[in-house]
Amino acid sequence: MTDPAWPPDGGTGAGGGPGKGAGPPPGPGDGASGAGGGRYGRELFPPEDPHESERIDAAALVYDPVTTRRLGELGVGPGMRCLEVGAGTGTVARWLLEEAGVAEVVALDRDTHALTAWELPGLRVLTADVTDEDLDPGRFDLVHARFVLMHLPGRRRLVHRLAGLLRPGGLLVLGDAVELPDTLDRSSAYRRTMDAMWAALWATIGTDITEVPAYPRYLREEGLRDIGAEVVCPPLLPGGPAAHFWSDTLRRMRPELEATGLVDARVVDEALAYLESPLLAEVGPGMAMVWGRRED
């Protein structure tokens, strides 16, 4: 999956290249004070953890159907050259090659150990960082980044750079996390623990999902056309992959959760028990997908 702490692709990848239209104005994603200075995959969710690929793949089971359906509806298919930013374990890259039949996928991530064993025609693995100003991986018919920008500083500038990697007629597709909390039950152990998780992500690595609703405007400012968006919030159901993903995520983040002061060990234990309970019924954290096309 290309991945939230959220998720999955927690990698970071591509960069470089001028964009069409005016340069990006400063925005909250260009470095708000108070955000943590760590990195996904270093301070949190290191890829060498033996369970990290399993955690990522659980999220892929939830979000890949949404991503691949949308990419198919946008006309992604044979002959296209694609950049998968934050390729993670590569489930979307594999779909692009094997199901959509694209000509080439550049799978970019800071950690590519999960990709190097693949021998798929058309797959190019690029170990790199999307925030590297000197990196220019070329130009593409599709640039896709899922659950990547939310973890990085300078999101507005990164949108500008990714838009600059598009060929004429090329698509930029961004997916990041959104939350629709039950505001009538803010005191439950589950809700308190999830709120603590977002606070811990912000304090540790600077994750910020408050900017996600601005992505359509960012694409418009880059001169893209045919801009669209959708939000999908999968239900959290007993025994499902989403419940598994979030249980594993919260367990891995337990020290950071308790360090926020918003929850203690008892509250976290209660939230974890709820995620594994047959009584589980929540609108889980979801994904906003935003897309736009470069003029021909």
Side-chain angles (χ1 to χ4, degrees):
M1 158 171 191
T2 83
D3 306 163
W6 175 229
D9 285 48
T12 52
K20 181 177 179 180
D30 288 322
S33 63
R39 294 296 292 269
Y40 190 111
R42 190 176 63 195
E43 281 74 17
L44 289 174
F45 312 111
E48 61 270 17
D49 186 291
H51 301 294
E52 180 60 7
S53 291
E54 180 182 351
R55 190 183 74 94
I56 289 175
D57 286 341
L61 289 172
V62 179
Y63 296 103
D64 275 8
V66 179
T67 298
T68 57
R69 172 185 55 79
R70 176 53 59 187
L71 293 179
E73 291 175 355
L74 288 171
V76 174
M80 297 181 74
R81 183 170 192 254
C82 307
L83 176 65
E84 180 67 9
V85 181
T89 59
T91 57
V92 171
R94 189 164 191 164
W95 177 88
L96 286 167
L97 288 165
E98 295 185 336
E99 302 297 329
V102 304
E104 182 183 22
V105 174
V106 176
L108 189 156
D109 208 314
R110 286 191 297 122
D111 182 273
T112 55
H113 78 281
L115 303 170
T116 52
W118 289 14
E119 295 184 2
L120 292 176
L123 177 65
R124 176 186 163 205
V125 177
L126 179 59
T127 304
D129 192 319
V130 70
T131 63
D132 181 355
E133 296 283 349
D134 296 323
L135 179 67
D136 186 351
R139 297 297 177 269
F140 300 89
D141 303 296
L142 169 69
V143 175
H144 175 241
R146 186 175 74 187
F147 301 130
V148 175
L149 298 189
M150 57 186 274
H151 295 304
L152 298 175
R155 282 167 287 275
R156 177 64 187 91
R157 187 163 298 280
L158 284 171
V159 171
H160 175 66
R161 294 176 64 200
L162 294 179
L165 300 178
L166 295 174
R167 290 172 170 173
L171 282 163
L172 176 59
V173 182
L174 305 175
D176 262 332
V178 292
E179 267 267 50
L180 295 176
D182 179 0
T183 58
L184 301 180
D185 189 21
R186 301 298 303 216
S187 63
S188 72
Y190 166 79
R191 185 67 262 154
R192 291 173 63 191
T193 302
M194 293 300 286
D195 288 345
M197 182 202 69
W198 293 114
L201 287 171
W202 164 257
T204 306
I205 61 176
T207 299
D208 182 8
I209 64 173
T210 62
E211 200 172 349
V212 176
Y215 288 3
R217 172 167 56 84
Y218 292 172
L219 269 56
R220 185 177 70 247
E221 291 170 351
E222 293 301 326
L224 303 190
R225 59 178 176 81
D226 300 334
I227 295 169
E230 68 174 321
V231 174
V232 176
C233 291
L236 279 175
L237 300 175
H244 174 76
F245 172 80
W246 288 112
S247 292
D248 198 9
T249 298
L250 297 179
R251 284 193 180 90
R252 299 267 301 276
M253 289 186 64
R254 180 184 281 273
E256 290 80 13
L257 296 175
E258 296 180 23
T260 66
L262 299 174
V263 293
D264 57 21
R266 180 192 60 79
V267 173
V268 176
D269 286 341
E270 186 177 340
L272 288 170
Y274 177 56
L275 283 168
E276 297 172 357
S277 164
L279 299 177
L280 175 65
E282 300 285 343
V283 176
M287 176 174 65
M289 291 189 71
V290 180
W291 59 87
R293 190 180 301 273
R294 172 71 67 212
E295 294 284 356
D296 292 327

